[in-house]
Amino acid sequence: MGCQRTLAAGRTALLLAGLLVALWHRCAASCPERDLEDREEEANIVLTGTVDEIINMDPVHNTYSCKVRVWRYLKGKTNVNREILLDGGNKLMIGGFGNPGICDNQVATGDTRIFFLNPAPEAMGPEHKNELMLNSSLMRITLRNLEDVEHCVEELKYT
Ligand SMILES: *[C@@H]1O[C@H](CO)[C@@H](O)[C@H](O)[C@H]1NC(C)=O
């Protein structure tokens, strides 16, 4: 009798765990990534860089900015105003982390990613004046991802 009850409890726990996993998958799927081509087209600046420092954490909206060391511009180097470069020219301020409108929007210090960016619109106010804003999800740096992004940039150039 006691044993049967344990079995039933175990089965219920398993069922619940399964349900949780299913739900979790559904939630992940509810933030669908747009096509890389569209994301590339929307972003005027695409670059690879490493997060140097996290600043301006907004405790209410959980958004923040980062100082990022730039490794390479994949697109739009000429769109980067020299005035916004920091620390001798190879660092930038990037805002918009934690933006709920962007699926993959979180970084930690030391993370290296591909960033899809646009200059901060004037409407955002003077505190964002010299920032670039995250325009779509962060992308991990793999050979495949770099090639895919470069391919999109090249294609856009010739159409
Ligand atoms: C991304 O940039 C486009 C303009 O190219 C803009 O319409 C869109 O709102 C931006 N997305 C985000 C999340 O800022």
Side-chain angles (χ1 to χ4, degrees):
M1 185 73 181
C3 182
Q4 243 171 14
R5 203 175 293 152
T6 319
L7 235 160
R11 230 180 263 146
T12 310
L14 254 176
L15 211 79
L16 270 176
L19 211 72
L20 275 177
V21 169
L23 264 175
W24 182 75
H25 273 283
R26 268 197 55 180
C27 288
S30 77
C31 193
E33 204 56 78
R34 278 170 306 147
D35 280 347
L36 184 59
E37 250 169 83
D38 297 335
R39 295 173 52 197
E40 191 275 323
E41 207 163 326
E42 273 193 2
N44 287 303
I45 299 153
V46 182
L47 54 83
T48 60
T50 301
V51 176
D52 204 51
E53 203 180 323
I54 292 179
I55 49 171
N56 294 340
M57 179 72 80
D58 179 330
V60 179
H61 302 102
N62 282 317
T63 54
Y64 51 96
S65 301
C66 293
K67 193 194 263 188
V68 172
R69 170 184 290 275
V70 178
W71 299 116
R72 191 152 74 91
Y73 291 91
L74 300 167
K75 178 186 177 181
K77 184 174 202 273
T78 50
N79 295 333
V80 177
N81 188 334
R82 289 189 62 84
E83 271 171 47
I84 74 173
L85 296 173
L86 305 167
D87 295 354
N90 54 7
K91 288 183 194 167
L92 278 171
M93 204 60 80
I94 297 179
F97 295 93
N99 176 352
I102 297 174
C103 296
D104 192 351
N105 61 21
Q106 297 289 341
V107 285
T109 306
D111 283 353
T112 300
R113 295 284 184 275
I114 305 172
F115 298 88
F116 294 79
L117 308 164
N118 274 326
E122 252 170 65
M124 287 194 72
E127 69 270 28
H128 293 284
K129 184 167 164 271
N130 285 334
E131 268 185 17
L132 297 174
M133 300 302 289
L134 214 55
N135 189 252
S136 58
S137 282
L138 298 156
M139 205 179 202
R140 282 173 192 280
I141 301 219
T142 62
L143 190 57
R144 172 77 196 273
N145 282 347
L146 282 172
E147 280 176 354
D148 284 352
V149 173
E150 277 174 347
H151 183 79
C152 284
V153 173
E154 288 300 313
E155 213 164 57
L156 197 72
K157 237 186 252 173
Y158 299 114
T159 52

